Amino acid sequence: TTTTTSRNRNNSTTPSSISISTTTTISTNTNTTMTHPLLQLEALRPDLAAVWRQAQSVLSFELRNIDDATGVVLGNLLANDTTLTSLDLNNNKLGDNAGKALADALKTNKTLQHLELHDNQLGDEAGKAIAEALAANSTLQRLGLRSNCLSDDA
């Protein structure tokens, strides 16, 4: 885990960027009665959940070794996040389910300005969902989708 500190919007020194790269694989049976995304993230990736909890004023996340299921939970968290301005999910294993969850988040999120999704496994379903979400989003300024499984139909 790498943390970069800088001045935040209130001119106080806080972590402004967190980069996480881990090779730990955690296999957990998730309980379908857990509805809060943070509880779901705790079950899938306790390391990411701990960072997310502490990162109330973090403006930028760079996350690696994220699978499709974890990407879905991150999308659910992002939907209600009011701080994050940049999310780098390049070089992960995000598929259509995560792509659709991130698209749903883009419909309601009002702070995210940069979303990087290069080198994942996003297919046409995710591409179409993201395209639809962009019509409802006025905040996102940069979206990276290079090197995914998108066809011209998406």
Side-chain angles (χ1 to χ4, degrees):
T1 304
T2 305
T3 305
T4 306
T5 58
S6 66
R7 301 249 176 230
N8 68 6
R9 295 178 189 140
N10 300 326
N11 205 25
S12 62
T13 303
T14 59
S16 62
S17 176
I18 294 180
S19 174
I20 298 175
S21 181
T22 179
T23 55
T24 304
T25 303
I26 298 169
S27 176
T28 306
N29 289 333
T30 58
N31 183 346
T32 57
T33 61
M34 288 191 300
T35 56
H36 193 278
L38 195 52
L39 294 176
Q40 293 173 341
L41 187 59
E42 180 69 41
L44 290 170
R45 293 284 302 270
D47 56 332
L48 294 181
V51 170
W52 193 277
R53 269 193 219 94
Q54 295 173 356
Q56 298 299 334
S57 62
V58 170
L59 302 177
S60 177
F61 266 125
E62 179 180 310
L63 303 173
R64 299 292 176 262
N65 298 315
I66 305 297
D67 62 12
D68 199 43
T70 305
V72 169
V73 176
L74 288 172
N76 294 338
L77 284 169
L78 185 62
N80 296 312
D81 185 83
T82 59
T83 308
L84 197 64
T85 61
S86 179
L87 181 58
D88 180 341
L89 295 174
N90 292 336
N91 303 307
N92 283 296
K93 294 179 180 154
L94 303 178
D96 281 338
N97 292 327
K100 290 187 284 187
L102 290 166
D104 285 342
L106 290 176
K107 293 175 185 176
T108 58
N109 184 285
K110 304 292 184 221
T111 57
L112 193 69
Q113 298 172 8
H114 304 278
L115 178 59
E116 300 296 337
L117 299 171
H118 301 295
D119 300 306
N120 277 287
Q121 300 165 358
L122 300 175
D124 287 351
E125 286 183 44
K128 290 175 185 176
I130 291 169
E132 289 173 13
L134 292 176
N137 184 296
S138 61
T139 310
L140 196 68
Q141 299 171 7
R142 177 172 169 70
L143 173 64
L145 291 170
R146 182 183 65 241
S147 298
N148 277 286
C149 305
L150 301 169
S151 72
D152 290 340
D153 293 334

